[in-house]
């Protein structure tokens, strides 16, 4: 849901140089002064000079997913000792002792994009995440308003090198002031998922089920009809320089409503400075097919040009855009885009123009 109000949150994006997730560390022992090389997935990541005794190496270049690190210790006589260590890194986890949070207080926004100054009851919501160990991150959430109460907890666990499991359990009740809306007098929601990634591909599974009586801010606001059951499966595979992806989404409403979507994607570099992607999806219940093709060209390390064409439900639209990314050490970034569309889309056709700018300074971000 959308709120008109204020939000106080930790925003790691304001410091893109920070690595917020646990990184592997490698330990060893040298009998004499030695050089230590660390190779990650076959590429040399770092080189160190160590003195006699035990040593620990950390802060390796950012990696994600499963991999193997080889620690090569070479002494002054050229003798080498090679140790291979498998690892698994997940950017979804937080480093031990790190905390991420968000607190929002305001009024529910109604008719967003259709009506001005349309607000509902006051509402407060918060989310808290904390890294407990390198392998465990815990989470909690809460929502509160008159007639609304939601409290949930969950977490993510890295199971060795087998991937990351996540689960949550939430109790919620929503009694809307509008008598025409359904009364969610109280119930449970649970979710469970699994993710595994390697440099060659990966898979992710997620299921969320809302039991009878469960209600949260979405039900309370009355603008959405949340799915009672959601299942998602995603898979990816790297073949040469190209990437393939496929997925399945199954959403079921409170009654007999159901929406199933199958989709696939293909992306590949074209030379050193261009990138092409193609995505297609099909909704089972309606038989509608969506196709999108996009070409991206790197004019310089920060400046990108994009051209795309999309076809959905008998409607075709084209897009052109130019974007300068925000430098990691601060400065200016901007984006301009134009979309031209048409067809019997009930108002979805026509032209769209967009312009945006950002400035990142030492103490804040202005957009």
């Amino acid at each position: 849901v959308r709120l008109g109000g204020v939000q106080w949150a930790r925003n790691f994006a304001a410091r893109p140089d920070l690595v917020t997730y646990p990184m592997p560390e490698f330990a060893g022992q040298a009998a004499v002064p030695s050089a230590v090389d660390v190779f990650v997935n076959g590429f040399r990541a770092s080189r160190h000079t160590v003195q006699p005794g035990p040593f620990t190496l950390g802060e390796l270049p950012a990696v994600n997913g499963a991999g193997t690190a080889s620690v090569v210790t070479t002494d002054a006589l050229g003798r080498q000792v090679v140790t291979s260590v498998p690892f698994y890194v997940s950017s979804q986890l937080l480093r031990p002792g790190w905390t991420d949070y968000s607190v929002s207080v305001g009024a529910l926004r109604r008719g967003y994009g259709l009506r001005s100054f349309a607000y509902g009851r006051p509402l407060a919501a918060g989310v808290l995440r904390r890294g407990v160990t390198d392998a465990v991150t815990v989470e909690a959430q809460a929502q509160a308003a008159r007639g609304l109460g939601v409290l949930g907890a969950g977490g993510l666990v890295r199971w060795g090198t087998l991937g990351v499991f996540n689960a949550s359990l939430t109790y919620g009740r929503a009694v809307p002031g509008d008598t025409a809306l359904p009364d969610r007098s109280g119930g449970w929601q649970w979710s469970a998922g699994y993710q595994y990634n390697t440099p060659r591909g990966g898979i992710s599974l997620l299921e969320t089920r809302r039991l009878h009586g469960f209600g949260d801010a979405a039900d309370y606001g009355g603008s959405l009809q949340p799915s009672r059951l959601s299942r998602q499966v995603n898979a990816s595979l790297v073949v040469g320089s190209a990437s393939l992806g496929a997925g399945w989404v199954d959403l079921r409403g409170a009654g007999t409503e159901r929406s199933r979507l199958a989709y696939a994607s293909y992306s590949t570099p074209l030379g050193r400075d261009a990138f092409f992607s193609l995505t297609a999806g099909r909704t089972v219940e309606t038989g509608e097919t969506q196709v999108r093709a996009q070409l991206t060209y790197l004019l310089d390390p920060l400046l990108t040009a994009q051209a795309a064409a999309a076809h959905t439900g008998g409607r075709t639209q084209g897009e052109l855009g130019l974007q300068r990314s925000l430098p990691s050490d601060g400065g200016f970034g901007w984006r301009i885009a134009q979309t031209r569309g048409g067809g019997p889309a009930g108002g979805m056709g026509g032209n769209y123009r967009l312009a945006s700018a950002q400035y990142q300074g030492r103490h804040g971000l202005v957009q």
Side-chain angles (χ1 to χ4, degrees):
V1 296
R2 297 179 182 270
L3 293 182
V6 295
Q7 182 182 67
W8 180 266
R10 175 153 287 166
N11 182 10
F12 289 121
R15 284 286 307 275
D17 57 310
L18 293 179
V19 178
T20 63
Y21 48 91
M23 294 292 291
E25 291 185 342
F26 307 102
Q29 186 162 338
V32 297
S34 304
V36 179
D37 295 293
V38 180
F39 292 81
V40 176
N41 296 329
F43 297 92
R44 190 166 76 175
S46 63
R47 183 165 198 175
H48 307 267
T49 300
V50 299
Q51 298 303 314
F55 61 85
T56 301
L57 306 177
E59 301 299 326
L60 298 178
V63 293
N64 196 23
T68 301
S70 298
V71 181
V72 182
T73 305
T74 308
D75 63 18
L77 298 178
R79 294 174 297 190
Q80 290 187 335
V81 177
V82 181
T83 304
S84 295
V85 182
F87 64 84
Y88 192 91
V89 176
S90 173
S91 58
Q92 296 176 304
L93 298 170
L94 279 177
R95 288 189 168 189
W98 283 43
T99 301
D100 193 8
Y101 62 86
S102 173
V103 178
S104 304
V105 179
L108 280 168
R109 182 70 167 90
R110 298 183 181 277
Y112 181 80
L114 302 175
R115 292 186 293 158
S116 298
F117 305 106
Y119 293 93
R121 291 179 175 181
L123 174 69
V127 177
L128 176 68
R129 304 180 72 237
R130 184 170 177 83
V132 180
T133 68
D134 282 345
V136 178
T137 295
V138 294
E139 305 174 332
Q141 69 139 329
Q143 302 171 10
R146 189 176 64 182
L148 171 69
V150 178
L151 190 63
L156 300 96
V157 177
R158 175 176 54 81
W159 196 271
T161 60
L162 299 179
V164 175
F165 296 84
N166 64 278
S168 69
L169 182 64
T170 305
Y171 181 83
R173 65 185 299 268
V175 183
D178 187 343
T179 57
L181 296 175
D183 184 354
R184 308 296 183 185
S185 56
W188 294 92
Q189 172 185 275
W190 62 264
S191 69
Y194 169 74
Q195 303 86 36
Y196 180 79
N197 293 293
T198 74
R200 306 302 301 172
I203 187 171
S204 67
L205 313 170
L206 179 63
E207 177 166 332
T208 302
R209 187 182 293 268
R210 299 160 60 99
L211 303 182
H212 179 73
F214 175 84
D216 59 10
D219 302 282
Y220 186 77
S223 58
L224 298 174
Q225 295 296 324
S227 300
R228 313 312 293 178
L229 174 65
S230 170
R231 289 194 180 111
Q232 300 179 45
V233 180
N234 296 282
S236 62
L237 179 66
V238 177
V239 181
S241 61
S243 297
L244 303 175
W248 173 263
V249 178
D250 187 354
L251 304 176
R252 302 186 188 183
T256 60
E257 302 90 355
R258 190 177 187 184
S259 178
R260 290 170 292 177
L261 172 69
Y263 58 90
S265 63
Y266 169 80
S267 58
T268 184
L270 302 176
R272 295 182 55 186
D273 301 321
F275 191 80
F276 174 77
S277 65
L278 178 67
T279 304
R282 184 173 179 85
T283 303
V284 175
E285 279 68 30
T286 64
E288 183 178 272
T289 300
Q290 309 97 35
V291 180
R292 176 183 173 86
Q294 179 170 305
L295 178 65
T296 302
Y297 190 82
L298 304 178
L299 299 173
D300 66 34
L302 293 178
L303 189 61
T304 304
Q306 292 181 339
H311 182 81
T312 303
R315 178 174 80 250
T316 302
Q317 68 178 24
E319 305 172 14
L320 291 174
L322 189 64
Q323 175 176 322
R324 185 181 190 274
S325 301
L326 201 62
S328 60
D329 57 349
F332 284 99
W334 49 264
R335 180 186 174 213
I336 55 175
Q338 163 94 22
T339 299
R340 293 182 62 89
M348 292 298 290
N351 298 334
Y352 301 84
R353 296 181 179 89
L354 177 147
S356 63
Q358 296 177 312
Y359 175 74
Q360 172 77 62
R362 286 188 58 190
H363 304 292
L365 172 67
V366 180
Q367 302 183 86

